[in-house]
Amino acid sequence: NVMNLVNYIIFLLAYSTTSGYHGADAFTAMAQDTPDDFDFTKSEHFDFDALGSEYNQIECLTGLNALLSWLRLLSYAKYFHLESATLITTVAKCARDCSIWFLMLAIILFAYAQA
């Protein structure tokens, strides 16, 4: 299934990014004990911006993975209720037309955000 493949790829991408922080030196620097007379003005500064950027990327990938998992869970709702099966089938049939409409809406909103 293509949805499963996309879900697994996003999970592996998020996992590989989580396991390989480039800014991990900042965590070790914060964990070290510093003496009271340590001069912070002459010390080396760590790049917390890169660490925050990677955390944000991991958070976005995990959110997308959760969204795809919930969408996969929706496919099992048709076994519990007849009306939900009708709704899911109808949405699946009109997905192509709806996707074109949502693409146009995204373009208009993006253009409005830039203006």
Side-chain angles (χ1 to χ4, degrees), residues 19-36:
S19 62
Y21 273 121
H22 297 306
D25 298 337
F27 283 130
T28 58
M30 289 189 313
Q32 293 174 353
D33 292 331
T34 56
D36 292 334

Side-chain angles (χ1 to χ4, degrees), residues 8 24 26 31 44 51 56 64 67 69 72 74 83 86-87 101 111:
Y8 293 142
E44 179 182 347
L51 188 66
N56 188 20
L64 182 62
L67 176 70
S69 296
R72 282 181 44 211
L74 252 166
E83 282 82 14
T86 307
L87 176 68
W101 187 84

